[in-house]
Amino acid sequence: MPVEKRLNSSGFTLIELIIVIIVLGIVAAVAIPKMGDVSQNSKTNATRTEMLTLKRAIIGNPQVIAGNRHANPGFEGDVGHPPITLSELAIKPDSIATYDRFLHRGWNGPYVDSAGNDYLKDAWDVAYIYDGINRKITSAGGPDSIVVSF
């Protein structure tokens, strides 16, 4: 029986497979660091957004007006001073009176969504540094500190 030679054999040679593996390795080496940058940028943006939400909870939103009055005065507008700690935005301190709707004074919170106390930490799960005296909130969890003044 004569042995027939296949001229149209299908499949890849070993060299073709090695070239594909090398190309995939190069693509992975370039793409993985870029994915890390995207992750850091999204954490930075999420933290900055949350910090601006905390700022609004503290000082309110002066653009919201109803009945010729500021409808969203925030903690400071209701109580008369910024909170001592960020947790006062969600839980009424014993030292502050309950809101009096006639005098427009007192704790009228919660001023933030306190589910799971997530508002106390940045996207890197590091607690915010709150300084009510110097009127700033700092996130030190990321590669660069983020500071929001109020």
Side-chain angles (χ1 to χ4, degrees), residues 16 34 43 49-50 56 76 98 112 115 140 148:
E16 290 171 331
K34 296 291 183 191
K43 285 183 177 184
T49 299
E50 185 173 57
R56 287 283 186 221
E76 187 172 27
T98 304
V112 294
V148 171

Side-chain angles (χ1 to χ4, degrees), residues 5-18:
K5 207 176 188 185
R6 285 194 213 167
L7 295 176
N8 291 332
S9 59
S10 62
F12 295 105
T13 65
L14 183 60
I15 294 196
E16 290 171 331
L17 290 174
I18 290 174

Side-chain angles (χ1 to χ4, degrees), residues 125-147:
D125 207 29
V126 175
Y128 289 117
I129 302 165
Y130 172 72
D131 184 355
I133 295 170
N134 293 314
R135 302 182 66 83
K136 65 182 178 178
I137 306 167
T138 305
S139 166
D144 297 319
S145 292
I146 303 169
V147 179

Side-chain angles (χ1 to χ4, degrees), residues 3 17 28 32 37-38 46 48 68 71 113 122 126 143 148:
V3 179
L17 290 174
I32 289 174
D37 290 346
V38 169
R48 187 171 282 116
N68 247 0
D113 179 12
D122 60 19
V126 175
V148 171

